[in-house]
Amino acid sequence: MDTRSEAREFLMSRRANLTPEQAGLPVSGHRRVAGLRRGEVAMLADVSPEYYAKIERGHLAGVSDAVLESVARALRLDDAEHEHLFDLARAASGAARPVGRRRPKKWVPRDSLTRALDAIVLGPAFVRNGRMDILATNALGRVFYDEVLDGPGQGNLARFCFLDERARTFYPDWEAAADITVSILRTEAGRDPRDKQLHDLIGELSTLSDVFRTRWGEHDVRRHGSGTKTFHHHEVGDLTLTYEAMELTAEPGLSLLIYTAEPGSPSQERLQLLASLAATSPAAPPRSGHPTTVQEG
């Protein structure tokens, strides 16, 4: 990935999305665009217009953390955007975190990890990487994501979202799901710009999906830590689930996500029904978990 172009487009998009009123600046006269001017960002960041213009052209190598912090404050970046800016600066300086530089072999979950997944029985649980590949699941997760694992998605949540028509039923608010999916991939691209498999995935989705390509150009990023989502599963119907995501410290770049339903709710009853289907389905995975052919490296 061209880190300079990525930084330039990201900063320009954030500037375009911030109005003078939001930045606390007076507005006078006719403005051709709604967003801030480059000189206004420079003033808010307390740097010269020339220096900020250089930064916005994507020249982040050597820019101090203090200046990056000033730019982040000037552009009112949220936590995910702030982290993304610093990821881009690290990449420009040749110090990107080696998320995608793990062992060049097919990833297999450790026995202790599969046992931990098996111990989670009240909701779908799965491990994924930053490319949104589902790498391992518990039994309920395998049934919950059966269409993702067995269809055009090839076990990848982004492919499922944009290349499998069933995703528009599985995600009742598909537009929001699509936005989240792209922002997660965009965040990962800034974190590890040398991940070839991620580049290939983005290229594939950009070629095959106009809606992905449009969203990719918006340069939105986000953290995916916790929240509530709605689903429509083809076996049990509507589900409203909360999720928690945890980084696996023993596996850099991988996350464990767990979905649960509110006790006593219709969603919990439907999850219990789905769990019973998982227990009796011949497609349910063995206790060793759901093996993956995704190559980590």
Side-chain angles (χ1 to χ4, degrees), residues 18-248:
L18 183 64
T19 66
E21 293 85 353
Q22 291 171 326
L25 296 176
V27 180
S28 61
H30 175 71
R31 298 177 69 94
R32 290 181 297 174
V33 295
L36 293 183
R37 299 183 178 109
R38 189 178 290 121
E40 291 171 331
V41 178
M43 178 187 68
L44 290 169
D46 196 24
V47 297
S48 71
E50 294 78 15
Y51 190 45
Y52 180 72
K54 179 181 177 182
I55 292 172
E56 196 176 273
R57 286 196 295 270
H59 297 277
L60 294 181
V63 178
S64 70
D65 287 355
V67 169
L68 291 174
E69 290 285 0
S70 295
V71 170
R73 284 195 299 271
L75 292 173
R76 303 289 181 92
L77 301 186
D78 63 23
D79 289 344
E81 293 166 335
H82 178 279
E83 184 176 352
H84 187 61
L85 176 61
F86 275 76
D87 283 338
L88 293 172
R90 278 190 288 268
S93 300
R97 287 176 285 178
V99 173
R101 301 252 173 169
R102 290 183 290 276
R103 299 178 301 277
K105 67 177 184 180
K106 295 185 186 305
W107 187 83
V108 177
R110 300 182 311 281
D111 288 344
S112 58
L113 179 56
T114 58
R115 287 196 300 271
L117 285 168
D118 288 343
I120 301 169
V121 296
L122 297 181
F126 64 102
V127 174
R128 70 158 175 82
N129 59 20
R131 297 187 296 272
M132 304 192 74
D133 296 309
I134 296 177
L135 303 178
T137 73
N138 64 355
L140 184 49
R142 178 65 180 82
V143 175
F144 180 74
Y145 277 132
D146 58 352
E147 293 181 337
V148 181
L149 297 168
D150 299 330
Q154 304 171 48
N156 180 274
L157 289 162
R159 282 197 189 93
F160 173 70
C161 185
F162 290 98
L163 304 183
D164 192 328
E165 284 299 319
R166 295 175 296 178
R168 293 180 179 266
T169 300
F170 184 68
Y171 299 116
D173 190 352
W174 182 87
E175 296 287 339
D179 289 341
I180 291 170
T181 298
V182 174
S183 64
I184 290 173
L185 291 181
R186 177 63 81 176
T187 301
E188 182 67 10
R191 183 178 293 120
D192 187 12
R194 293 187 286 267
D195 186 339
K196 183 181 184 302
Q197 288 181 302
L198 177 60
H199 296 179
D200 292 345
L201 174 63
I202 293 167
E204 174 189 352
L205 295 176
S206 297
T207 300
L208 298 177
S209 171
D210 291 339
V211 290
F212 175 86
R213 186 167 58 251
T214 298
R215 282 173 164 81
W216 185 253
E218 294 172 357
H219 290 267
D220 291 333
V221 295
R222 66 168 286 154
R223 289 178 173 173
H224 196 64
S226 63
T228 302
K229 291 184 180 181
T230 58
F231 304 92
H232 181 87
H233 194 274
H234 63 93
E235 292 282 4
V236 297
D238 294 335
L239 295 163
T240 299
L241 305 176
T242 57
Y243 68 91
E244 293 289 336
M246 294 156 277
E247 297 293 324
L248 296 179

